[in-house]
Amino acid sequence: MSEMTYAEAARLALREEMQRDPLVWALGEDLGYEGGMAGQYRGLQEEFGDDRIVDTPISESTIMGAAVGAALAGTRPIAEMRFSDFAMCAVDELVNQAAKARYMFGGQGRVPMVARMPIGIRGGIAAQHSQSPEAWYTHVPGLVVVTPSTPANNRGLLKASIRCDDPVVYMEHKGLWGMKGEVDEADQSETPLGEGDTVRSGGDLTIVSWSAQLGVTVEAAELLAGDGISAEVIDLRTLWPWDRDLVMASAARTGKLLVVHEAVRVGGFGGEIAAEVAEELGIPVARLGGERIPIPFSIPLEEAYKIKADRIASRARDLLA
Amino acid sequence: MSEMTYAEAARLALREEMQRDPLVWALGEDLGYEGGMAGQYRGLQEEFGDDRIVDTPISESTIMGAAVGAALAGTRPIAEMRFSDFAMCAVDELVNQAAKARYMFGGQGRVPMVARMPIGIRGGIAAQHSQSPEAWYTHVPGLVVVTPSTPANNRGLLKASIRCDDPVVYMEHKGLWGMKGEVDEADQSETPLGEGDTVRSGGDLTIVSWSAQLGVTVEAAELLAGDGISAEVIDLRTLWPWDRDLVMASAARTGKLLVVHEAVRVGGFGGEIAAEVAEELGIPVARLGGERIPIPFSIPLEEAYKIKADRIASRARDLLA
Amino acid sequence: MSDNLANEPARVAAMYRTMLVIRAFEEAAGENFFAGNVRGSVHQYIGEEGIAVGICENLRDDDYLTSNHRGHGHSIAKGAHPRAMMLELFGKAGGTSNGKGGSMHIADFSVGMLGANGVIADGCTISVGAAQALRLRGKDSIVVNFIGDGGINRGPFMEALNWAKIYNLPVLFVCENNQIAASTTTRLVTAGEGIAARALSFDVPAVTIDGNDLFEVDRTAARVVSEIRNGSGPQLIQAMTYRLRGHFAHDKAGYRDPAEVDEALKHEPMGRVEAWLRDNGMSDADISQLQSEVKAEIDSYVEDAMNAPWPDASLAFTDVQDVGAPQAGEAVQ
Amino acid sequence: MSDNLANEPARVAAMYRTMLVIRAFEEAAGENFFAGNVRGSVHQYIGEEGIAVGICENLRDDDYLTSNHRGHGHSIAKGAHPRAMMLELFGKAGGTSNGKGGSMHIADFSVGMLGANGVIADGCTISVGAAQALRLRGKDSIVVNFIGDGGINRGPFMEALNWAKIYNLPVLFVCENNQIAASTTTRLVTAGEGIAARALSFDVPAVTIDGNDLFEVDRTAARVVSEIRNGSGPQLIQAMTYRLRGHFAHDKAGYRDPAEVDEALKHEPMGRVEAWLRDNGMSDADISQLQSEVKAEIDSYVEDAMNAPWPDASLAFTDVQDVGAPQAGEAVQ
Ligand SMILES: Cc1ncc(C[n+]2csc(CCOP(=O)(O)OP(=O)(O)O)c2C)c(N)n1
Ligand SMILES: Cc1ncc(C[n+]2csc(CCOP(=O)(O)OP(=O)(O)O)c2C)c(N)n1
Ligand SMILES: [Mg+2]
Ligand SMILES: [Mg+2]
C-alpha cells in the first residue's frame, strides 16, 4: 500500500498497461513536456517514446478520429481530450464512428479505445471548461462510460478501460486530481467495469452518486447519521453499464432512493436511475443535480450551482418525512 | 383550412417568417436547387435570393458557428444540418457557443437562431442517419428543444422558434415529411413553445410521447380502447421546456404514467419525465424507448428496434394490472 | 494484387473486368432500388470506375482502404466480394455486415477495406490513425483514403492532411473530383485553386490526373504507392472524373445540363480501356463475351440476394459491445 | 478611432498609452492571480501588445472583433474598459459579465467586442457568420478575428477561411504567431510553410509582418482594413511575435531556453515605441510620467475590484434563456 493522488494513480495505471502491452498508446495535446493537465502522463514520453505518447496539434476531431482508426487497425489508443468540453469538438468521431463501427460492419472490427475527457468544476474555469456531460454518452449504444471517484478506482478502472475491447468514455473529475488515497501497487487487478461500490451501509435510504459528488454525498451521510438517519451510499463508478442489481437490492431494502450528481439535473443520468427504480420497485425516489444553467465563473455564483452536503441531507430528510 | 404535408407546412412557416422579417435567413447544404431533403426550402432561394437561402460548402462546424455569429450580430439564422447525425459535427458550436454566449457575456448578447436537425428512422438509412438525440439537448442550459409531430404544429412551432430570442434545437422527424394534415393558412399565430397538447383524453392512464412516436402511441390508445381501457395521450411538442403542469395534472388524475419515445430508452428524455412524475406524485410510471443498439439497416432488424403499438398497449396493460 | 508491370493485355483485361463488375453492380443496385428490393441511399460509382480500379490494382490485401458514402466501387476494387455486397444492399443474411450496415457501410476487413462511411470526411481522420497503428505494429502497409471534391471543405480532412504530414504517415489521399457534391457545383463553394493547392500548402505532394484514364491512374498509383511505402510520407492524387448518374439512385440530377452529361459520356473510362484492348488483340467477341459473363455473374448475385433469408431479428442486438451489451429479445418481447 | 494619418507623435503616444494599459493590466492580473484574488486561467498578452493596438487603432466601434483565450489585450485595444475587465477577473459585480464569464469570456458588445473564447478557433466560424449578418444588415463594418499559431491547425479555422472567401466576406484574420501553443513548439505540429501559405491556397491574401513593430502593424492594418471595407474580401495578417510569459500565469514555461526569452526581450514592442517617442520629442520625464499615470490607473481598478461587492447568488440564474429559464433560488433553497 502506498498513498498517491488520483492523478498519480492514473499515471501508474497507464504506465503499467503500456509496459504490459506495446500496442497501448496515447495521443493528445501537450502530453510530453507538460505531462498532462495534472501530471497524469508525466515522464511517460521519455519512457515510452514520442510515438507512444504522441503530442498532437490542436485538432480534436483528428485526435478522436485517429484513435478510432488506430483501434480498428489493431492498437489500443487513448485519446486525451483534456476537457470533456473540448471533446464536444469530436462528438461525431466518438458517436458516429467509434460507437458504431463494430455494429455497422457486422462485427468485423472492434474499437478498443479510451476517450479520456475530464469533467466537472475545478473552480473558476467557467462555462466552457466545467461541464459534466456523462449522461450523453450513456445514451449512445456501443459506448461504455466510466467515472472514477478515488485514486484506487481511478487506477483500477483505467486499467480495465484500456484492456476493454469496447470504446470507453473515461471521465476523470478535474476537482479530484489532487485527492490522496491508498493504492496497492502490487495488485494488478482491474476494478471491474459495471460494478458499483457500497461505500457506506445504511438501512433508512439509498443514496447513489459518482465522481466528485460522491465525497459530498458521504459528508451528507455523516450529517444524517447525526440525526440518527442511516444512509447507504453507493458509488456507481461505471455509468454504463451501471450496477442495476446492487442499486435495486439496496433500494428494495431501504425503501427510498436519492440520486445525486454534479451534472445538470434536467436530462441527467439521475433520471435514468430514478426512473428505473420507480418502475421496478415503486418506492419513493428523488434526484438532486445542478440547476439548468451554464457553470458561472464568480465564486458565489459557482457555489450557488454546487450541490452541498446540507442540501443533500435536507432532501434526504424530506424523502423520509 | 388547406391540406398540406409536414414538409410543406414547414416551408410555409419559413416563407411567412422570411417575408415578415428581412433578418431571417437560412444556411445549409443544397438548400437552393434541391430545396432541402424534403422540399422544405423549395423555391425560397428564387424568392429571397441566395444571400438569405445560402448554399454552403460541406462544413457543418462553420454552418453552426456562422449561425452563432450571425445571431450575435443581429440576424435570425436557421442552420440546416440535414440530419441530427451530421449535427454531431457541430456540437461544440451549438453547446459551447450558441447555448452559452448570452450567459458567459452577462446578457450582453442574444443568440436568436434555429439549429434545425431532423431526427429519427426513415427506413433503411441505418446507424449514421437515423438517430434521435433530443435528450442530449434538453440537458444543455440555454437551449430550447422542439419536436413537431404534425403539419399544423410543424408550422406553428417553426414560426415560434424563428421568433424566439433563444437558440432553438428544432428537430423535425424524417419519417413525417410526407404526413398530410389540415393547416389554417390564415392563422399567423405561433404554437407556443413549452405547451403540450392533449391529443386524446382518457381516465385510466396518461401516455406521454412526441414526434413520430406520437402517432404509434395514438394507435396503441385505440387498441387499448378496444379492451375498454381509456388512455390519455399527451404530445409534448416541446421537450425543453416541457409542459410539466399539463403532464402532472393528467398523471395525477389517471394515477399512471407511461412515456414512449423512439430514441434509445437508456438516457432518453423519458427518464426525466418518469422521474419527475415519480418524485412529485409517487404514482406508477413506465417508459418505453429503443433498445441500446445503433439503428440497423435491414428491415427485420430495423423493425425489431421500433416500438410498435401492440408493445405500447401491452406495457400499458401491465402498468394497469 | 500484381505489381505494376507493363500494360500487358492480360493485366489490363483483368482491370477492365473489375471495372465491368463495378458498373454492372451499380446498374443492378439502381434497378433493384427502383424495384423496391434495396432501401435507403444508393450512391452509384458509374463513370468513376477507373479510379478505384487503377488505385487498388497497386495495393496489397494488407494495405488499408477507407471510403465514403460512394463506396461500392472502392470495395469491389479492394477485393470485397460483390455477392456479399449485393446481399448487404438487400439487407440479407450473408451480407458483408449481415444486413446491419447497408450500402453506406460496406466493409471487408479481410481485404483491408475498413469501411464505407456515411459521414463525409470522417474516413480521413480514421485513415491517419490507422497509419499510426501500422507504424506501431511495424508493418510496411499503407492506407488509402477516398474523398470527394465536396468533402475537402470539411475541417477534419484539412486537419488530417496536416496530421499525416507532421508524422510522415504512409497515407494516400485520393480526391475523386467529379466537380459536384450532391446538387452543388463544388467550384462555387471551394476557394482557391482547389485541393491540389491546399495539399501543397501542407507540403503534401499532390498530382492532378485524368481519373477517367485507367492507364494514367494505374501509372500514377504505381509510383505514388511505392514512394509512400518507401517512406515518402503522405501524398495526394486528385483524379478528375464525372458522376454520370444522379447523386444517388433517386436523384434525377435536373440541376445539370443534359448536354454536359452527353459530353462527359465521350470521356467515360470503360470505352477507353475497351479501345485499348481492341488495339491489343482482344476481339469484339471476346469483349462482349466478357461483358455478358460479368452481367450474368452480377445477375446471379441479385438472384442470390432475392432468395437469401432475412437476418434473424435477434441479430439486431449483437455486435454492439462486450461490456453492457443489450439483452437481445428484451425489445422483441 | 482616428484614421491612419502620418505617425504624428500624439497619435503614437495614444497607442503607446494603450499598450502600457494592456501591459499594466496583465501584470496586475498575474499578481492578483498569485495573490489568490483572481481564479482560473489567466493568459497574459505581455509582449504581444503591439498587435492588438496596431490593428484596433484602424477599426471603428461598429466593427466587430472576436478573440480567443488570450483576449485581454484585444479587448482593451478594441475599447473595453479595463476597470470593468478587472472586476470581471475578480468575479465581482460590475464586471463586463457581472462575474459570470471571467478572464476567458471578456466581452463588450458596446464597442463591437463579441467576446474572448475558451474554445480554440471557434471565434473563426463566429466571425464569418457575423460578417454575413453585416452584409444582410447593409453595414460597411468589418470583422476581425484573432487566432493563434496553434489554433490554425483546428479544422473550423480552415473551414472559415474557405467560407469567408467564397462569400467574399469582410473578415480580417489576424494570426498572432508567437511560435508556441501552450508547451508545444508549433513548428513541430504544423505542416508546410504555415498559415500564410495555407491562406494563399484558399486565395485569401496573406501578409507576414513583425508583430512587435507597432508601426508596421499599424501601416499594414490601415491598408488591409480599408481594402476589406472596400470589398476586397477576406485577408490574413500573420504577425510574428513572442509570448514573454508562460502560457498562463501559473505556467513557469520550463520547456524553453531562458536565453531565448532574453533574446526576445530585445525585440519586445514597448521599448521600440518608446525609442520612437524619444526621437520625436517626448522626454524621459514625459514617458515615465505616462507610465506611472497608467500604473496608478490600473492600481485603482485593482483597488476597485478588491472593494467591489460579489454578485448576488441569484444572478447565477439569470441571462440563461427566455423560454424555459431556470427558477432562480430553486437551487439555493
Ligand atoms: C458531414 C456530412 N455532411 C453532409 C452529408 C450529406 N452528403 C452526403 S454525400 C454529399 C456530397 C458529397 O460530395 P463529394 O464529397 O464531392 O462526393 P461525391 O458524392 O461527389 O462522390 C453530402 C453533402 C454527409 N453525409 N456528411
Ligand atoms: C478546442 C480546444 N483545444 C484545446 C484547448 C486548450 N488550449 C488553450 S490555449 C491552447 C494553446 C493555444 O495556442 P495558440 O493558438 O498558439 O495561442 P497562444 O496561446 O499562443 O496565444 C490550448 C491547446 C482549447 N482551449 N480549445
Ligand atoms: Mg464530388
Ligand atoms: Mg501561439
Side-chain angles (χ1 to χ4, degrees):
Chain A
M1 281 292 180
S2 49
E3 190 185 63
M4 61 181 75
T5 65
Y6 185 82
E8 288 162 348
R11 180 186 172 284
L12 174 64
L14 178 55
R15 181 164 183 260
E16 289 167 337
E17 294 308 304
M18 288 184 76
Q19 285 170 332
R20 214 177 49 78
D21 181 350
L23 295 177
V24 173
W25 63 294
L27 64 165
E29 297 151 17
D30 302 294
L31 300 186
Y33 176 84
E34 183 206 58
M37 264 209 294
Q40 70 273 40
Y41 295 87
R42 188 162 297 141
L44 299 183
Q45 191 176 66
E46 289 89 317
E47 181 172 358
F48 297 103
D50 62 9
D51 59 353
R52 287 186 68 197
I53 297 288
V54 179
D55 285 321
T56 70
I58 305 171
S59 302
E60 280 69 18
S61 293
T62 307
I63 293 169
M64 190 72 79
V68 176
L72 286 171
T75 65
R76 296 185 172 275
I78 293 151
E80 174 59 60
M81 307 306 295
R82 300 180 67 90
F83 289 83
S84 62
D85 313 73
F86 303 162
M88 292 181 188
C89 300
V91 165
D92 162 60
E93 289 77 8
L94 177 61
V95 173
N96 286 328
Q97 306 300 341
K100 296 174 174 52
R102 177 179 173 184
Y103 189 87
M104 293 189 298
F105 303 144
Q108 294 185 69
R110 295 289 179 106
V111 189
M113 65 180 271
V114 177
R116 199 170 176 182
M117 49 176 87
I119 58 175
I121 294 174
R122 195 193 64 198
I125 48 178
Q128 293 176 332
H129 291 73
S130 305
Q131 297 170 84
S132 295
E134 63 266 22
W136 283 10
Y137 302 113
T138 65
H139 192 45
V140 178
L143 298 180
V144 172
V145 182
V146 179
T147 55
S149 59
T150 67
N153 66 41
N154 197 16
R155 175 177 177 233
L157 289 165
L158 185 54
K159 290 171 81 78
S161 299
I162 292 170
R163 297 176 190 177
C164 180
D165 285 338
D166 303 317
V168 177
V169 179
Y170 198 80
M171 302 175 121
E172 286 149 307
H173 193 291
K174 297 185 287 290
L176 296 179
W177 289 126
M179 176 193 200
K180 286 200 157 68
E182 288 298 317
V183 172
D184 178 357
E185 303 203 36
D187 175 7
Q188 286 299 313
S189 64
E190 315 177 354
T191 301
L193 299 173
E195 278 188 20
D197 181 21
T198 303
V199 295
R200 184 185 176 106
S201 319
D204 297 334
L205 85 159
T206 301
I207 311 184
V208 172
S209 192
W210 56 86
S211 191
Q213 195 63 45
L214 179 78
V216 188
T217 301
V218 170
E219 273 177 59
E222 311 276 356
L223 294 178
L224 289 166
D227 316 353
I229 298 172
S230 90
E232 181 146 297
V233 178
I234 294 176
D235 176 5
L236 222 44
R237 297 196 301 203
T238 303
L239 300 194
W240 189 265
W242 60 287
D243 198 335
R244 212 172 174 287
D245 298 346
L246 184 71
V247 172
M248 290 295 171
S250 171
R253 190 156 34 70
T254 65
K256 304 255 186 301
L257 174 81
L258 173 61
V259 189
V260 188
H261 54 67
E262 177 180 319
V264 168
R265 184 182 64 245
V266 174
F269 197 61
E272 180 69 21
I273 298 166
E276 284 286 293
V277 169
E279 284 183 61
E280 182 151 328
L281 304 175
I283 62 171
V285 297
R287 298 178 299 151
L288 277 175
E291 280 307 295
R292 199 169 177 282
I293 60 171
I295 308 294
F297 167 75
S298 179
I299 292 171
L301 309 186
E302 191 182 75
E303 289 303 308
Y305 177 87
K306 294 181 184 169
I307 318 285
K308 308 290 183 62
D310 56 352
R311 253 184 82 205
I312 299 172
S314 68
R315 191 72 188 80
R317 286 189 207 94
D318 300 347
L319 194 60
L320 290 165
Chain B
M1 282 292 179
S2 50
E3 189 183 65
M4 62 181 73
T5 65
Y6 185 83
E8 288 162 350
R11 180 184 173 285
L12 174 64
L14 178 55
R15 180 161 183 263
E16 288 169 337
E17 294 308 303
M18 288 184 77
Q19 285 170 334
R20 212 177 52 76
D21 181 350
L23 295 177
V24 173
W25 62 294
L27 64 165
E29 297 150 17
D30 302 294
L31 300 185
Y33 176 85
E34 182 207 58
M37 10 178 217
Q40 70 274 40
Y41 294 88
R42 189 162 296 142
L44 299 183
Q45 191 176 65
E46 288 91 314
E47 182 173 358
F48 297 102
D50 62 10
D51 59 353
R52 287 188 66 197
I53 297 290
V54 178
D55 286 321
T56 70
I58 306 172
S59 301
E60 279 69 22
S61 293
T62 307
I63 293 169
M64 189 72 80
V68 176
L72 286 171
T75 64
R76 295 184 173 276
I78 292 151
E80 174 60 59
M81 307 306 295
R82 301 180 66 91
F83 289 83
S84 61
D85 314 73
F86 303 161
M88 292 181 187
C89 300
V91 165
D92 162 59
E93 290 77 9
L94 177 61
V95 173
N96 285 329
Q97 306 300 341
K100 296 174 172 54
R102 177 178 172 184
Y103 189 86
M104 293 187 300
F105 303 145
Q108 293 185 68
R110 296 288 180 105
V111 189
M113 63 179 274
V114 177
R116 200 170 175 182
M117 50 176 84
I119 57 174
I121 293 174
R122 194 191 66 198
I125 49 178
Q128 292 176 333
H129 291 73
S130 306
Q131 296 170 85
S132 295
E134 63 267 22
W136 281 10
Y137 302 113
T138 65
H139 192 46
V140 179
L143 298 179
V144 172
V145 183
V146 180
T147 54
S149 59
T150 67
N153 65 40
N154 197 17
R155 176 181 177 228
L157 289 166
L158 186 54
K159 288 171 82 77
S161 299
I162 292 170
R163 296 176 190 178
C164 180
D165 284 339
D166 302 317
V168 176
V169 179
Y170 198 80
M171 303 175 120
E172 287 149 306
H173 194 292
K174 297 185 288 289
L176 296 178
W177 288 126
M179 176 193 201
K180 287 199 158 67
E182 288 298 317
V183 173
D184 177 357
E185 303 201 38
D187 176 7
Q188 286 300 312
S189 64
E190 315 177 355
T191 301
L193 299 173
E195 278 188 21
D197 181 21
T198 303
V199 297
R200 183 184 176 106
S201 318
D204 297 333
L205 84 159
T206 301
I207 311 183
V208 172
S209 192
W210 56 86
S211 192
Q213 195 63 45
L214 179 77
V216 188
T217 301
V218 170
E219 269 177 61
E222 310 277 355
L223 294 178
L224 289 166
D227 316 353
I229 299 172
S230 91
E232 180 145 296
V233 179
I234 294 176
D235 176 6
L236 222 42
R237 297 196 301 203
T238 303
L239 300 194
W240 189 265
W242 60 287
D243 198 336
R244 213 171 172 285
D245 298 346
L246 183 71
V247 172
M248 288 297 171
S250 172
R253 190 155 34 70
T254 64
K256 303 259 187 298
L257 174 81
L258 173 61
V259 189
V260 188
H261 54 66
E262 178 180 319
V264 168
R265 184 182 64 245
V266 174
F269 197 61
E272 180 69 21
I273 298 166
E276 284 286 294
V277 169
E279 285 183 61
E280 182 152 328
L281 303 175
I283 62 171
V285 297
R287 298 177 298 151
L288 277 174
E291 281 305 296
R292 199 171 177 280
I293 60 172
I295 308 294
F297 168 76
S298 179
I299 293 171
L301 308 186
E302 190 182 75
E303 290 302 308
Y305 176 87
K306 294 181 183 169
I307 319 286
K308 306 291 182 62
D310 57 351
R311 252 183 85 207
I312 299 172
S314 69
R315 192 70 188 80
R317 287 190 206 92
D318 301 345
L319 194 60
L320 292 165
Chain C
M1 299 168 193
S2 89
D3 297 314
N4 183 267
L5 310 167
N7 292 328
E8 77 283 3
R11 183 164 167 278
V12 175
M15 290 196 274
Y16 176 65
R17 188 182 199 289
T18 307
M19 288 169 73
L20 284 174
V21 169
I22 294 171
R23 178 74 57 105
F25 183 93
E26 296 294 44
E27 293 289 5
E31 284 156 22
N32 284 279
F33 172 83
F34 287 111
N37 300 323
V38 173
R39 303 193 308 162
S41 300
V42 172
H43 302 88
Q44 293 158 299
Y45 196 62
I46 292 172
E48 310 187 21
E49 298 88 347
I51 304 170
V53 172
I55 297 286
C56 294
E57 174 70 12
N58 294 282
L59 300 178
R60 307 187 314 218
D61 279 359
D62 65 355
D63 289 323
Y64 289 127
L65 181 148
T66 61
S67 170
N68 56 10
H69 55 288
R70 198 176 300 286
H72 303 164
H74 307 148
S75 305
I76 291 172
K78 190 68 169 72
H81 201 295
R83 181 178 182 281
M85 287 173 57
M86 190 63 73
L87 265 64
E88 188 63 27
L89 264 58
F90 276 67
K92 297 300 186 74
T96 45
S97 301
N98 265 307
K100 285 177 172 178
S103 167
M104 273 189 286
H105 307 299
I106 301 284
D108 185 345
F109 281 50
S110 70
V111 293
M113 178 13 184
L114 293 185
N117 209 308
V119 183
I120 298 288
D122 279 8
C124 308
T125 58
I126 288 172
S127 298
V128 296
Q132 281 168 300
L134 288 171
R135 176 169 297 165
L136 270 180
R137 290 169 49 214
K139 305 287 185 194
D140 73 338
S141 301
I142 78 164
V143 184
V144 176
N145 167 247
F146 284 96
I147 171 130
D149 53 311
I152 65 166
N153 287 320
R154 269 206 75 219
F157 168 60
M158 298 183 260
E159 288 185 358
L161 272 180
N162 182 64
W163 189 284
K165 183 65 185 184
I166 60 176
Y167 301 119
N168 194 47
L169 298 172
V171 180
L172 169 58
F173 296 101
V174 179
C175 177
E176 299 179 305
N177 187 343
N178 55 20
Q179 302 143 68
I180 200 156
S183 68
T184 301
T185 299
T186 52
R187 188 177 19 81
L188 304 178
V189 293
T190 304
E193 283 167 37
I195 185 54
R198 292 184 192 179
L200 291 172
S201 76
F202 290 95
D203 219 351
V204 171
V207 54
T208 297
I209 62 173
D210 178 356
N212 290 354
D213 178 346
L214 173 68
F215 303 104
E216 187 174 359
V217 176
D218 178 37
R219 258 195 325 274
T220 309
R223 172 179 64 78
V224 171
V225 166
S226 77
E227 287 173 4
I228 293 173
R229 206 181 296 287
N230 293 311
S232 75
Q235 298 198 44
L236 182 140
I237 294 174
Q238 173 174 224
M240 303 308 295
T241 185
Y242 192 86
R243 196 193 72 203
L244 289 173
R245 298 299 168 84
H247 173 54
F248 32 47
H250 50 294
D251 168 23
K252 295 185 192 53
Y255 41 83
R256 63 186 184 188
D257 181 352
E260 178 186 304
V261 184
D262 296 340
E263 178 57 29
L265 277 169
K266 297 191 196 132
H267 310 289
E268 71 83 45
M270 314 291 291
R272 295 159 72 168
V273 186
E274 236 168 83
W276 187 94
L277 287 168
R278 280 207 186 73
D279 300 347
N280 289 266
M282 201 162 171
S283 71
D284 291 5
D286 299 340
I287 288 175
S288 45
Q289 156 70 19
L290 186 59
Q291 290 171 338
S292 41
E293 187 185 297
V294 167
K295 176 86 173 57
E297 178 188 332
I298 298 299
D299 288 347
S300 75
Y301 300 152
V302 169
E303 189 67 17
D304 294 348
M306 292 290 255
N307 303 329
W310 291 105
D312 186 86
S314 65
L315 273 181
F317 308 100
T318 62
D319 300 322
V320 178
Q321 59 199 112
D322 294 338
V323 176
Q327 280 74 41
E330 200 184 296
V332 278
Q333 77 220 343
Chain D
M1 300 170 191
S2 89
D3 298 313
N4 182 269
L5 311 166
N7 293 328
E8 77 282 3
R11 183 166 168 279
V12 176
M15 291 195 273
Y16 175 65
R17 188 182 200 290
T18 308
M19 288 169 72
L20 286 174
V21 169
I22 294 171
R23 177 74 55 107
F25 183 92
E26 296 292 44
E27 294 289 6
E31 285 157 21
N32 284 280
F33 172 83
F34 287 111
N37 300 322
V38 171
R39 303 193 307 160
S41 300
V42 172
H43 302 88
Q44 294 157 299
Y45 195 62
I46 292 172
E48 311 188 19
E49 298 89 348
I51 304 171
V53 172
I55 297 286
C56 294
E57 174 70 14
N58 294 282
L59 300 179
R60 307 188 316 217
D61 278 0
D62 64 356
D63 289 324
Y64 289 127
L65 182 148
T66 61
S67 170
N68 57 9
H69 56 287
R70 198 176 300 286
H72 302 164
H74 307 146
S75 304
I76 290 171
K78 190 66 171 72
H81 201 295
R83 182 178 182 280
M85 288 172 57
M86 191 62 73
L87 265 65
E88 187 64 26
L89 263 57
F90 276 68
K92 295 300 185 75
T96 45
S97 301
N98 265 307
K100 286 177 172 178
S103 166
M104 273 189 287
H105 306 299
I106 301 284
D108 185 346
F109 281 49
S110 70
V111 293
M113 185 354 185
L114 294 185
N117 210 307
V119 183
I120 297 288
D122 279 10
C124 308
T125 59
I126 288 172
S127 298
V128 296
Q132 281 169 299
L134 288 170
R135 176 170 296 167
L136 269 181
R137 291 170 48 216
K139 306 287 184 193
D140 72 340
S141 302
I142 77 163
V143 184
V144 176
N145 167 246
F146 285 96
I147 172 133
D149 53 311
I152 65 166
N153 287 320
R154 267 205 77 216
F157 168 61
M158 297 183 260
E159 288 185 358
L161 272 180
N162 182 64
W163 188 284
K165 183 64 183 185
I166 60 175
Y167 301 119
N168 194 47
L169 298 172
V171 179
L172 169 58
F173 297 99
V174 179
C175 178
E176 299 179 303
N177 188 343
N178 56 17
Q179 302 142 68
I180 200 155
S183 68
T184 300
T185 299
T186 51
R187 189 177 18 81
L188 304 178
V189 292
T190 305
E193 283 167 38
I195 185 54
R198 291 184 193 180
L200 291 172
S201 77
F202 290 96
D203 218 352
V204 171
V207 53
T208 297
I209 63 173
D210 178 355
N212 290 354
D213 179 345
L214 173 69
F215 303 104
E216 186 175 359
V217 176
D218 178 37
R219 259 196 323 277
T220 309
R223 174 180 61 79
V224 171
V225 166
S226 76
E227 287 173 4
I228 292 173
R229 206 182 294 289
N230 292 312
S232 75
Q235 298 198 42
L236 183 139
I237 295 173
Q238 173 173 223
M240 304 308 295
T241 185
Y242 192 86
R243 196 193 70 203
L244 289 173
R245 298 299 167 85
H247 174 54
F248 31 48
H250 49 293
D251 169 21
K252 296 186 191 52
Y255 40 82
R256 63 186 183 188
D257 180 352
E260 180 187 304
V261 183
D262 296 340
E263 178 56 29
L265 277 168
K266 298 190 196 134
H267 310 290
E268 72 83 44
M270 314 290 292
R272 295 159 72 169
V273 185
E274 236 168 83
W276 187 95
L277 287 169
R278 281 207 185 73
D279 300 348
N280 289 267
M282 203 160 167
S283 70
D284 290 5
D286 299 340
I287 289 175
S288 43
Q289 156 71 20
L290 187 59
Q291 289 171 338
S292 40
E293 188 184 296
V294 166
K295 176 84 173 55
E297 178 186 333
I298 297 298
D299 288 346
S300 74
Y301 300 152
V302 169
E303 190 67 16
D304 295 349
M306 292 290 257
N307 303 328
W310 291 106
D312 185 86
S314 65
L315 273 181
F317 308 99
T318 61
D319 300 323
V320 179
Q321 59 198 111
D322 295 339
V323 175
Q327 279 74 41
E330 197 185 300
V332 277
Q333 76 221 343

